[in-house]
Amino acid sequence: MAPRFPGAPICLTALLLATTMAVAPIAAWAQDPRAAPPQSQKKPPEAPAKLPKVGADKTRGLDFLFGALKAAPDEASAKHVEARIWALWMQTPSDTAALLMTRAKAAMDAKQIDIALKLLDAVVKLRPDYVEGWNRRATLYYLKNDYAHSLEDIEQVLVREPRHFGALAGLGMIMQDIGDDKRALDAFRKALAVNPYLEKVPDLVKTLSEKVEGRDI
């Protein structure tokens, strides 16, 4: 079983209820793209284009790799370990799921977001245990400014893999975009607790820390 983070765990069901007032206008944005807020240039962390070959023992392999990621002496070493983690996460549980994921990526690359979403809908319906199906769909919803659905999919990711630094960073981005800096800071810190070498996240933590908690005197 994946280790829990120190402190209170994120309960996204409660989070969705607690942010009803914020999510209501988000749902309206999703229904009317013309009313959508300007999409930031940020994008949740994702798997590198080329993934290394990894073994089949996913659980044991991930436990070892997460330990190595925390202990990495420099960014280059961390990126090597991070790529291996992504490779394990991306391993598909069936040939059908693999085909659907390949087609979904091709649709995303071609900016055919609605087609990609339908393909990912099929992935999560076919294999709800496959974490990256949920994570990829959460990213697509984020890019569509459909934060309510993105949050629901992030919850599914973190229930299955609480150490998923990509989903945690994505959660932080959504919270920041809707103006909940405190929860954004919490999510970014949890992402860094897993992967200290995430790009741009340390700067976001520094900025939000000063904003939420004030500067040190």
Side-chain angles (χ1 to χ4, degrees):
M1 179 172 292
R4 295 288 179 179
F5 298 110
I10 290 179
C11 179
L12 292 186
T13 300
L15 179 61
L16 285 167
L17 292 173
T19 56
T20 300
M21 295 300 292
V23 170
I26 291 168
W29 295 334
Q31 291 171 5
D32 184 2
R34 294 170 301 175
Q39 178 61 40
S40 67
Q41 297 302 312
K42 297 179 296 182
K43 190 175 181 182
E46 60 183 3
K50 293 184 179 180
L51 295 171
K53 292 183 179 180
V54 290
D57 189 353
K58 182 176 293 189
T59 301
R60 184 177 178 183
L62 282 172
D63 289 343
F64 172 79
L65 289 171
F66 275 113
L69 186 59
K70 281 188 177 183
D74 52 52
E75 185 175 358
S77 301
K79 289 301 177 185
H80 175 73
V81 176
E82 182 183 313
R84 296 183 69 83
I85 290 172
W86 278 112
L88 283 172
W89 279 342
M90 293 294 294
Q91 282 183 343
T92 46
S94 70
D95 291 341
T96 302
L99 179 61
L100 289 168
M101 288 293 287
T102 298
R103 289 181 174 175
K105 185 179 186 307
M108 288 174 66
D109 292 343
K111 308 300 182 184
Q112 297 173 326
I113 303 300
D114 290 337
I115 292 175
L117 275 175
K118 289 180 179 179
L119 290 164
L120 292 172
D121 288 344
V123 172
V124 299
K125 184 176 181 180
L126 175 69
R127 298 305 298 258
D129 56 325
Y130 181 46
V131 172
E132 278 312 300
W134 296 104
N135 186 57
R136 186 65 59 86
R137 196 172 71 171
T139 298
L140 275 185
Y141 279 133
Y142 173 77
L143 295 176
K144 283 172 64 70
N145 296 300
D146 187 347
Y147 295 164
H149 282 107
S150 186
L151 283 172
E152 290 174 359
D153 281 1
I154 288 172
E155 178 179 17
Q156 295 297 326
V157 174
L158 295 178
V159 163
R160 293 163 174 79
E161 176 50 272
R163 302 169 295 187
H164 201 298
F165 47 80
L168 287 166
L171 174 61
M173 290 175 186
I174 292 175
M175 291 297 103
Q176 188 176 25
D177 285 353
I178 67 175
D180 194 335
D181 291 336
K182 188 175 185 300
R183 285 196 173 95
L185 178 59
D186 185 50
F188 285 139
R189 280 176 170 167
K190 283 179 167 62
L192 282 182
V194 180
N195 184 354
Y197 289 94
L198 280 172
E199 293 181 7
K200 300 181 181 179
V201 176
D203 290 337
L204 290 170
V205 167
K206 182 176 184 296
T207 300
L208 287 170
S209 296
E210 294 174 353
K211 188 174 182 181
V212 173
E213 300 168 348
R215 296 177 180 272
D216 293 334
I217 298 176

